[in-house]
Amino acid sequence: MTLGEFVKAMCRKMAGGKEEKRFFKEERECTLHGKYTPYELSFLGNKVKVESCPSCREREIEEWKGWYIEGISRVAESFIRQNVPERFWFASISSYYAPTPRMRTVKNRILEFIAKPEGKALLLTGNPGTGKSHIGYAIYKYFLVLHLISDPHLLSPQSLPVVTSALDLVRSVKGTWYGNGEGRFDSEEEALFYYSSAGILIIDEVGVQFETQAEKLILTEVINRRYNNLRPLVAISNLSLEELTPILGERVLDRFSEILRFDWQSWREKIYA
């Protein structure tokens, strides 16, 4: 399966419940299929009147829906290629292997967060190789497709999810300090607003040592803004909660509504000569 096929399948599945029909009052009759009621079909923000027999037009209607799915899939694939490492292109919540009760509990907590993320902040901590980044990129892709399905014309780009590493976030803010116009953002406030207002923010590699106290303050400022504005957040760290406390501080850690410990053994295969 290619990435494009994977994304299209994901889009089709998530768009399944986004179809609505508004039936008209009059009733008509088809010589092949008998009586039917015309209706207006709404699909992903687009509408079409189905006035002739729906059974006769079934293939045409499916092709019409497929055309919109194709467009959304292309946009989603472009975002994924740009923002997700190839190792995690096919990562999904359903493909996250959880053979033990402890792992299933963590997976269920993540599913609960995805179902209702508003105002919540999730911290994933624990050993390297336990699937935290897999989950993080899967969450990003889920909310990316969800946003594109709800807003296929990208009328609200500020609500798109954002995934980044803690160091890349800090560097993009610092890049505005030198005034040479080479950074991604024109001002520090523009950068902070971008990360603080994204539909959902996933920050990987939290706890990687920063060079200065100012760099730590950038990360805590983004976390605090999102907390105050009830914007969902997922932070991922290979450090334990005890190791993160002196880095972020208890006040910042208290912003997280739930902390999930990935405290099982690494899954990564190791080969020793």
Side-chain angles (χ1 to χ4, degrees):
M1 177 182 287
T2 65
L3 176 60
E5 291 169 339
F6 174 82
V7 174
K8 190 182 296 185
M10 185 178 179
C11 290
R12 283 191 178 279
K13 181 179 179 181
M14 293 178 65
K18 300 294 182 179
E19 177 183 314
E20 295 180 1
K21 294 178 181 178
R22 184 176 66 85
F23 288 91
F24 302 133
K25 292 182 179 180
E26 70 271 20
E27 194 175 68
R28 298 180 186 177
E29 188 165 352
C30 172
T31 56
L32 291 176
H33 302 102
K35 292 182 179 181
Y36 69 90
T37 304
Y39 60 83
E40 181 181 71
L41 175 64
S42 297
F43 184 68
L44 306 185
N46 303 278
K47 296 180 180 180
V48 63
K49 287 185 178 180
V50 183
E51 298 186 81
S52 56
C53 174
S55 297
C56 291
R57 293 190 61 190
E58 184 176 0
R59 181 176 178 180
E60 182 184 343
I61 293 168
E62 288 304 312
E63 287 177 350
W64 179 78
K65 291 192 292 185
W67 187 81
Y68 286 104
I69 290 289
E70 183 76 35
I72 290 171
S73 301
R74 284 198 299 268
V75 175
E77 182 181 355
S78 175
F79 273 100
I80 290 169
R81 287 184 180 275
Q82 182 179 351
N83 297 301
V84 177
E86 187 172 353
R87 179 179 295 277
F88 300 106
W89 278 359
F90 300 96
S92 66
I93 303 297
S94 60
S95 69
Y96 183 74
Y97 184 55
T100 69
R102 169 74 182 137
M103 295 164 76
R104 286 193 291 272
T105 297
V106 168
K107 184 174 181 177
N108 288 335
R109 294 286 193 180
I110 291 165
L111 289 171
E112 291 171 6
F113 170 83
I114 289 173
K116 195 173 182 180
E118 294 80 7
K120 294 180 182 177
L122 189 64
L123 176 59
L124 314 181
T125 71
N127 304 325
T130 50
K132 299 184 302 300
S133 293
H134 176 114
I135 289 292
Y137 286 111
I139 290 174
Y140 167 76
K141 289 188 291 181
Y142 174 85
F143 282 102
L144 170 66
V145 172
L146 185 66
H147 177 84
L148 293 175
I149 287 173
S150 303
D151 182 15
H153 304 295
L154 287 177
L155 298 178
S156 303
Q158 70 277 8
S159 297
L160 280 164
V162 171
V163 61
T164 183
S165 70
L167 281 177
D168 282 345
L169 186 156
V170 167
R171 285 168 180 159
S172 66
V173 175
K174 284 179 62 180
T176 67
W177 294 354
Y178 309 110
N180 55 17
E182 295 180 1
R184 179 178 179 184
F185 304 100
D186 292 330
S187 67
E188 178 180 333
E189 182 55 37
E190 181 186 344
L192 290 173
F193 179 81
Y194 172 79
Y195 291 113
S196 302
S197 62
I200 184 169
L201 177 65
I202 298 99
I203 311 175
D204 201 0
E205 300 176 0
V206 172
V208 174
Q209 292 297 323
F210 300 129
E211 296 176 0
T212 66
Q213 184 65 23
E215 293 176 342
K216 294 181 185 179
L217 290 175
I218 291 172
L219 183 61
T220 58
E221 174 68 11
V222 170
I223 293 173
N224 285 332
R225 288 192 184 198
R226 294 193 68 85
Y227 174 82
N228 291 331
N229 294 323
L230 302 177
R231 307 297 279 174
L233 169 69
V234 178
I236 302 167
S237 178
N238 285 334
L239 301 181
S240 67
L241 189 59
E242 293 71 25
E243 292 170 318
L244 274 175
T245 300
I247 296 173
L248 296 180
E250 291 185 4
R251 182 171 173 271
V252 173
L253 287 174
D254 191 53
R255 302 297 196 216
F256 290 92
S257 53
E258 188 159 17
I259 298 173
L260 300 179
R261 299 174 187 260
F262 287 59
D263 49 9
W264 44 86
Q265 209 169 18
S266 172
W267 295 346
R268 293 175 186 161
E269 294 183 7
K270 291 181 171 58
I271 300 175
Y272 298 94

